[in-house]
């Protein structure tokens, strides 16, 4: 018999009819007004503020939301990890585009914060009524274990793994490491073996550069548009201190393009 969310809600004193369940997405900004989104390293205050700001469109958010909002954050595909239960105490502002609510973090399910993981059956749906979400399966109840950073010279990721590294809490140490360096990286299309040599330099760290690939698959590179990132493999050829002069990084990038022959037989155009 599969454990579902319903008995956990009820044991915490929350009737499904008095709740809605939210799984946030990690986005840079709201699509409707451009206000700031959240990411894997957002603070509790930032997530609370993000949750409190909702669309004024009743098709996107209910006119009279329930008392309890059970808030999850994404974790690997169809998984969602509990962030917190917040209590709705009323609407404080509505400018016709967005509504702001007075939310406070509740003690309900406090012992399950960042431990409860449910399977999210509707990947395109970010908000569910409590009775619907009550039937969602509990995947695990366990602390999110941090994944040790393997070192720059051992880092090989497919696109799905890259998205996890950029977005999931357990990879925080990886993001810290990738934020601390600039350098030269390699993308291999495993469908045909063609390779692309790229760089992150100046004010752009490898984490920032790879974040673009995680988001759209091509990072703005014309050579990679239309290929589809599912068969891409990402690795690092060389890292530099961010204070390294740009010409040094440029020369190293050119060296690897020549050494790997990625202009003639790969994906680099220059």
């Amino acid at each position: 018999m599969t454990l579902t969310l319903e008995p956990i809600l009820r044991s915490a004193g929350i009737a499904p009819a008095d709740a809605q369940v939210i799984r946030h997405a990690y986005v840079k900004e709201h699509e409707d007004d451009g206000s700031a989104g959240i990411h894997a390293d957002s603070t509790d205050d930032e997530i609370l503020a993000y949750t409190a700001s909702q669309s004024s469109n009743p098709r996107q958010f209910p006119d009279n939301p329930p008392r309890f909002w059970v808030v999850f954050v994404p974790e690997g595909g169809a998984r969602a990890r509990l962030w917190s239960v917040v209590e709705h105490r009323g609407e404080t502002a509505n400018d016709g585009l967005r509504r702001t609510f007075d939310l406070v973090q509740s003690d309900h399910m406090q012992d399950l914060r960042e431990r409860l993981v449910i399977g999210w059956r509707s990947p395109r749906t970010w908000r569910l009524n409590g009775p619907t979400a009550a039937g969602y399966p509990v995947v695990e109840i366990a602390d999110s274990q941090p994944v040790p950073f393997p070192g720059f010279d051992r880092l090989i990721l497919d696109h799905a793994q890259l998205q996890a590294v950029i977005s999931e809490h357990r990879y925080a140490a990886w993001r810290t490491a990738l934020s601390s360096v600039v350098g030269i990286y390699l993308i291999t299309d495993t469908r045909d073996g063609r390779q692309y040599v790229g760089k992150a330099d100046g004010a752009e760290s490898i984490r920032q550069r790879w974040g673009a690939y995680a988001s759209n698959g091509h990072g703005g590179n014309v050579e990679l548009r239309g290929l589809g990132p599912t068969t891409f493999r990402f690795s690092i050829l060389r890292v530099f201190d961010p204070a390294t002069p740009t010409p040094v990084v440029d020369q190293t990038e050119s060296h690897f393009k020549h050494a790997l022959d990625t202009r003639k037989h790969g994906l680099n155009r220059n």
Side-chain angles (χ1 to χ4, degrees), residues 137-156:
V138 172
V139 176
E140 67 179 24
I141 299 176
D143 293 332
S144 178
Q145 296 296 320
V147 181
F149 182 64
F152 297 112
D153 58 347
R154 296 184 179 181
L155 196 60
I156 300 176

Side-chain angles (χ1 to χ4, degrees), residues 103-123:
L103 302 180
V104 295
Q105 285 188 269
S106 168
D107 290 335
H108 291 78
M109 298 169 63
Q110 178 72 22
D111 59 330
L112 295 175
R113 286 195 61 188
E114 300 183 1
R115 300 183 68 239
L116 172 65
V117 179
I118 64 173
W120 197 262
R121 293 173 176 168
S122 306

Side-chain angles (χ1 to χ4, degrees), residues 5-21 62 64-70 86 88 127-135:
L5 184 59
E6 180 170 4
I8 292 179
L9 291 174
R10 292 192 182 279
S11 68
I14 300 174
D18 294 334
Q20 64 178 354
V21 179
N64 298 300
R67 176 184 175 188
F68 294 109
W69 302 8
V70 186
V86 297
H88 161 228
R127 190 197 70 84
L128 297 168
N129 293 325
T132 299

